[in-house]
Amino acid sequence: MMRPYLEALSKGEIVAMPTETVYGLAGDATQTSAVEKIYRLKGRPSFNPLIVHVSDIAMAASYAVFSETAFDVVRYFWIENPLPLTLVLPLKKDTSLSPLVTAGLTTVAIRRPSHPLALSLIEQHGKPLAAPSANLSNTLSPTHPQMIRKQFPDLLILDGGSCAIGVESTILDAQSFEVLRPGGCTQEDLEIFLKKRLSICTHPDVIRAPGQMSRHYAPTLPLRINVEQPYENEAFVTFGKGKIPFSLSPSGNLLEAAACLFSTLWAIEERGEFQGIAVMPIPYEGLGVAINDRLRRAAAQEKIIK
Ligand code: TXA
Ligand code: MG
């Protein structure tokens, strides 16, 4: 079943890979031509580094320098209690990783997805896969294959159905313990394990994660957030208001809301009958932090790199 995908990866081609967060545009992280193809396909500026996806801690440790704490963190969040967490760690010298993956930085972002198809693809390929979300730069991240097909009609897609988590991984700088991007592993989860308060890096002076651009994850329709009363021609995205057309979660469950956030915005656009999207306030707690982060960037007007 994996053969065509493995063959493509060995040849330096790109494959859409399901993960528990969103689908990724995966390519062999050791082949510069494959990494170049990812940037080109996505239309992503090559100064925005990619996440390196590994199948186990040993693979990660051959590319990045792990402190004892970093080992503890991944043993817990990658293996014992899997949650989507990417660590930014010092890059080991003289590895086979393409320098394009890290955009020339001395650090590398690494994550072990928990999706069985992703794990098996990486494990059988035997080398890490660079994989940004499988969408054109600045558009919605895809959480099911149809969303990818629309933008990349000819792409080989490993179909894993819908992604369970629905927002991207949390990115933690494992040296400063700053959260560079809120995501599917909540700040509370991290703080309880690390037994310390973490800061969220909201205004970095250098761009350390593309998810930090002020406008990102954007649908093509204008989007307004924290709306109680929508305009007539807007699709109204609700939370905790019962089963109505664009409800993220009828009962007000943040896990459920995250899982269908991007697919709901996508479905609204596909309907082609609205002039805008209005989203109800979503509680700023747990996964609500990542949801609000994505919505705020989707609502931003300009593409300013902070
Ligand atoms: O859930 C996810 O993380 C998904 C799935 C496919 O795994 N991937 C994803 O990749 O969201 P992407 O490329 O859309 O986001 C990668 C983020 C960017 O914000 C990038 O700047 C950051 O990781 N990043 C990569 N290398 C970094 C580094 N060395 N230091 C800081 N941030 C880095
Ligand atoms: Mg992305």
Side-chain angles (χ1 to χ4, degrees):
M1 177 210 169
M2 286 292 181
R3 230 173 97 203
Y5 307 98
L6 291 165
E7 280 175 7
L9 290 172
S10 306
K11 284 192 270 177
E13 285 162 17
I14 308 307
V15 163
M17 166 176 79
T19 82
E20 71 281 20
T21 58
V22 301
Y23 276 75
L25 271 185
D28 186 326
T30 68
Q31 293 186 41
T32 293
S33 62
V35 181
E36 259 167 8
K37 272 186 205 157
I38 298 177
Y39 282 110
R40 206 163 50 227
L41 259 177
K42 248 190 105 72
R44 170 156 169 166
S46 53
F47 58 80
N48 273 336
L50 309 176
I51 295 178
V52 172
H53 294 65
V54 295
S55 51
D56 54 40
I57 297 177
M59 191 187 273
S62 52
Y63 297 97
V65 183
F66 278 76
S67 64
E68 272 314 307
T69 315
F71 269 126
D72 289 345
V73 168
V74 295
R75 266 193 293 266
Y76 185 71
F77 288 102
W78 289 1
I79 312 292
E80 289 163 30
N81 181 36
L83 280 173
L85 179 66
T86 297
L87 285 194
V88 171
L89 295 160
L91 177 65
K92 269 198 169 167
K93 291 210 176 76
D94 304 320
T95 71
S96 54
L97 212 61
S98 163
L100 261 192
V101 176
T102 53
L105 298 176
T106 54
T107 52
V108 58
I110 296 207
R111 104 172 181 95
R112 176 193 186 269
S114 65
H115 196 296
L117 286 178
L119 285 176
S120 139
L121 189 68
I122 303 164
E123 208 170 80
Q124 291 184 55
H125 180 63
K127 281 181 277 183
L129 300 180
S133 51
N135 55 283
L136 296 171
S137 231
N138 290 324
T139 66
L140 296 170
S141 304
T143 52
H144 58 73
Q146 277 164 280
M147 290 174 76
I148 307 171
R149 191 53 77 212
K150 191 97 188 177
Q151 291 188 337
F152 305 106
D154 303 323
L155 188 67
L156 202 54
I157 303 177
L158 176 56
D159 191 339
S162 292
C163 301
I165 298 202
V167 288
E168 294 84 347
S169 61
T170 300
I171 304 181
L172 179 71
D173 183 324
Q175 298 183 91
S176 65
F177 289 96
E178 270 174 301
V179 176
L180 301 181
R181 175 178 74 182
C185 174
T186 68
Q187 194 169 347
E188 291 90 317
D189 289 324
L190 287 168
E191 288 178 348
I192 289 169
F193 180 79
L194 290 165
K195 300 190 181 66
K196 64 169 156 195
R197 296 282 299 169
L198 299 178
S199 57
I200 295 202
C201 177
T202 46
H203 295 291
D205 33 49
V206 283
I207 174 165
R208 280 187 282 174
Q212 292 170 330
M213 292 191 189
S214 64
R215 184 170 163 85
H216 204 75
Y217 312 105
T220 48
L221 288 175
L223 182 142
R224 298 191 303 131
I225 48 178
N226 298 321
V227 176
E228 301 285 357
Q229 194 59 49
Y231 302 138
E232 214 173 273
N233 50 15
E234 279 179 324
F236 192 33
V237 176
T238 61
F239 178 81
K241 283 273 180 210
K243 225 172 157 28
I244 39 181
F246 302 116
S247 171
L248 292 179
S249 167
S251 64
N253 176 320
L254 289 165
L255 276 171
E256 190 176 37
C260 69
L261 175 68
F262 291 139
S263 59
T264 301
L265 299 179
W266 185 78
I268 290 170
E269 293 207 310
E270 285 298 290
R271 293 265 288 257
E273 61 194 76
F274 301 101
Q275 274 161 23
I277 304 175
V279 188
M280 265 184 73
I282 311 284
Y284 198 85
E285 64 194 32
L287 274 183
V289 177
I291 296 174
N292 277 297
D293 171 81
R294 304 306 187 266
L295 286 171
R296 194 166 42 77
R297 291 175 205 282
Q301 293 301 314
E302 334 114 87
K303 297 185 185 185
I304 297 169
I305 300 171
K306 286 264 167 72

